[in-house]
Amino acid sequence: VVVQGLDPYETCSTTTLEDSRDERTHRLVQATKEALEEAVAVCQAGVKISEIGRTIQSVADRYDYRIVKDWNGHGIGREFECLPQVKHLRNDDTTVLQPDMMLTIEPILVEGHAAHVKWSNGHTVCSVDGGMAAQSGLSLLILDGGAEVVSR
């Protein structure tokens, strides 16, 4: 289950499990959280933003999952969703992270095909093959020697 906040100022969504004993589900959620945490670990001023996507892709590959490429993280500024786009897969973006930059990282990993459809309610999205998906996201502030998570 992927739950997104209905508050327009809420920046993150995360898949949570309620008493699931299904190993397949736990593995997917764990991989998504690992991808997020490893991506945060590479963030600091001077690093190319493409390192975030490379890191997430490496985790997804390790678990044999795909990444939903149509949804990206983003900058947070005067507008809620602004540049830079934070792609969650390998890419060639040369944007360099700067001190005091605020952004989100919100990868969605899927066990089957990464293509998806949005339901008529405008909020629910599912993979075209019915495979499970998991998302984990947060907002962070880029610093000279790392990054500070400001919301989960």
Side-chain angles (χ1 to χ4, degrees):
V1 174
V2 176
V3 179
Q4 286 196 285
L6 298 178
D7 178 343
Y9 298 104
E10 187 174 325
T11 62
C12 303
S13 42
T14 298
T15 302
T16 58
L17 300 173
E18 297 294 328
D19 194 32
S20 174
R21 291 179 177 85
D22 178 15
E23 184 58 37
R24 188 176 125 215
T25 304
H26 279 281
R27 185 174 185 274
L28 177 60
V29 171
Q30 178 61 35
T32 305
K33 289 179 180 179
E34 265 181 50
L36 178 64
E37 295 304 322
E38 289 186 25
V40 170
V42 302
C43 290
Q44 65 178 329
V47 170
K48 287 183 182 175
I49 201 165
S50 59
E51 281 300 302
I52 296 170
R54 185 196 59 76
T55 302
I56 293 168
Q57 183 79 60
S58 293
V59 175
D61 290 350
R62 193 165 61 229
Y63 281 90
D64 195 30
Y65 293 132
R66 263 67 47 220
I67 298 168
V68 177
K69 68 178 182 178
D70 296 334
W71 290 4
N72 298 308
H74 52 81
I76 301 172
R78 289 191 176 116
E79 295 178 24
F80 176 64
E81 292 186 13
C82 63
L83 295 175
Q85 277 197 352
V86 181
K87 297 175 184 168
H88 299 127
L89 63 162
R90 283 185 195 93
N91 65 84
D92 59 2
D93 191 331
T94 59
T95 301
V96 175
L97 298 175
Q98 302 295 322
D100 300 325
M101 191 180 266
M102 291 277 298
L103 51 91
T104 68
I105 304 174
E106 311 172 64
I108 302 172
L109 274 56
V110 295
E111 62 177 1
H113 200 285
H116 59 278
V117 294
K118 186 180 280 191
W119 291 5
S120 62
N121 66 12
H123 298 285
T124 306
V125 177
C126 66
S127 61
V128 294
D129 62 2
M132 289 193 304
Q135 180 180 30
S136 195
L138 51 71
S139 300
L140 65 153
L141 173 65
I142 301 300
L143 304 170
D144 282 319
E148 179 181 339
V149 174
V150 295
S151 71
R152 286 191 181 266

